[in-house]
């Protein structure tokens, strides 16, 4: 089902797409034990649900969108309404996964609805990624890892550079190409 159809069917909550699948596949492959995992921006709860179902990890999720919180909870994902990692305690998560809003968007074309919050990364595509990189380190355990999905449309090098400024080294651990973009999962370590 295309994004337009999904938008029609469930207009308030981002439904799983290729990016969700790539992040879920990568995280489930790479998590090895009974980690405590946070999925930021869980939307429908698909990525968090797959991690919970396919690994031994315990998963908590957050989303700013109350409709997403409701949908993820209905999918049995323990979900908190939150801006990024704001309410969580310091140093508790072994892993944090995020499929952020990453599409560069002309401010004149912003729709100001919940789907826009799911998709739009502001003018450079990094309006949500940058504050995420600034704050995620606080909630990570000392050896914690971040799985961040990025697109060639967002500028992977710029994200890697920004992650470096926040003390993370980044490795691309998965990618998938489509006609108009390449999706990459970055694994970040301190
Ligand atoms: C691209 S969607 C990904 C949804 C889901 N994780 C998936 O992969 O299918 C981005 C999600 O991030 C959420 N989001 C956007 N800004 C956020 C913020 N500041 N804090 C928490 N969630 C946010 C949106 O509401 C949306 O559900």
């Amino acid at each position: 089902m295309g994004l337009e159809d999904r938008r029609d069917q469930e207009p308030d909550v981002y439904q799983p797409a290729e990016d969700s699948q790539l992040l879920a596949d990568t995280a489930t492959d790479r998590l090895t034990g009974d980690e405590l995992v946070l999925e930021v921006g869980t939307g429908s709860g698909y990525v968090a649900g797959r991690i919970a179902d396919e690994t031994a990890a315990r998963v908590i999720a957050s989303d700013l969108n109350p409709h997403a919180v409701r949908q993820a909870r209905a999918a049995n994902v323990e979900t908190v309404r939150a801006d990024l990692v704001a309410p969580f305690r310091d140093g508790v998560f072994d892993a944090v996964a995020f499929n952020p809003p990453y599409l560069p968007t002309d401010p004149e074309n912003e729709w100001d609805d919940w789907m826009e919050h799911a998709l739009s990364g502001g003018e450079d595509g990094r309006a949500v990624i940058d504050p995420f990189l600034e704050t995620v380190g606080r909630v990570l355990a000392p050896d914690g890892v971040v799985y961040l999905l990025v697109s060639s449309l967002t500028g992977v090098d710029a994200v890697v550079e920004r992650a470096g400024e926040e003390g993370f080294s980044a490795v691309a651990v998965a990618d998938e190409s489509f006609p108009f973009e390449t999706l990459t999962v970055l694994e970040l370590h301190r």
Side-chain angles (χ1 to χ4, degrees), residues 80-94:
V80 176
R81 186 172 185 210
D83 186 1
L84 299 174
V85 301
F88 301 107
R89 282 174 38 205
D90 292 1
V92 291
F93 293 105
D94 302 302

Side-chain angles (χ1 to χ4, degrees), residues 170-182:
V171 185
V173 290
D175 52 41
E176 193 170 357
S177 291
F178 299 93
F180 299 106
E181 66 178 336
T182 297

Side-chain angles (χ1 to χ4, degrees), residues 14 16 20 39 41-43 47 63-65 82-84 98-101 117-118:
Y14 186 89
S20 325
E39 192 208 353
T42 195
V47 175
D63 206 294
L64 199 55
N65 174 356
D83 186 1
L84 299 174
F98 191 22
N99 174 13
H117 276 287

Side-chain angles (χ1 to χ4, degrees), residues 27-29 31-33 35 37 50-59:
T28 53
D29 279 354
L31 292 166
T32 52
E35 292 100 333
V37 178
R50 284 224 16 225
I51 294 172
D53 288 348
E54 297 175 29
T55 75
R58 177 176 171 218
V59 189

Side-chain angles (χ1 to χ4, degrees), residues 7-160:
R7 213 191 243 266
D8 288 347
Q9 221 178 56
E10 184 55 85
D12 291 324
V13 181
Y14 186 89
Q15 296 303 298
E18 291 79 2
D19 48 3
S20 325
Q21 205 170 337
L22 184 64
L23 181 62
D25 289 348
T26 307
T28 53
D29 279 354
R30 298 183 73 83
L31 292 166
T32 52
D34 57 351
E35 292 100 333
L36 180 60
V37 178
L38 172 66
E39 192 208 353
V40 174
T42 195
S44 67
Y46 168 82
V47 175
R50 284 224 16 225
I51 294 172
D53 288 348
E54 297 175 29
T55 75
R58 177 176 171 218
V59 189
I60 294 174
S62 74
D63 206 294
L64 199 55
N65 174 356
H67 307 286
V69 172
R70 208 163 25 243
Q71 193 172 331
R73 284 181 183 161
N76 287 324
V77 174
E78 202 176 327
T79 310
V80 176
R81 186 172 185 210
D83 186 1
L84 299 174
V85 301
F88 301 107
R89 282 174 38 205
D90 292 1
V92 291
F93 293 105
D94 302 302
V96 177
F98 191 22
N99 174 13
Y102 59 71
L103 293 178
T105 310
D106 180 342
E108 309 227 326
N109 291 334
E110 295 264 359
W111 291 20
D112 196 24
D113 63 9
W114 285 114
M115 192 54 79
E116 196 70 48
H117 276 287
L119 298 172
S120 170
E123 269 186 281
D124 64 4
R126 299 189 292 278
V128 180
I129 293 173
D130 286 348
F132 171 75
L133 290 172
E134 283 161 27
T135 54
V136 67
R138 182 185 64 74
V139 300
L140 268 189
D143 293 326
V145 61
V146 177
Y147 297 106
L148 177 63
L149 186 127
V150 288
S151 162
S152 50
L153 299 172
T154 316
V156 178
D157 291 346
V159 174
V160 169

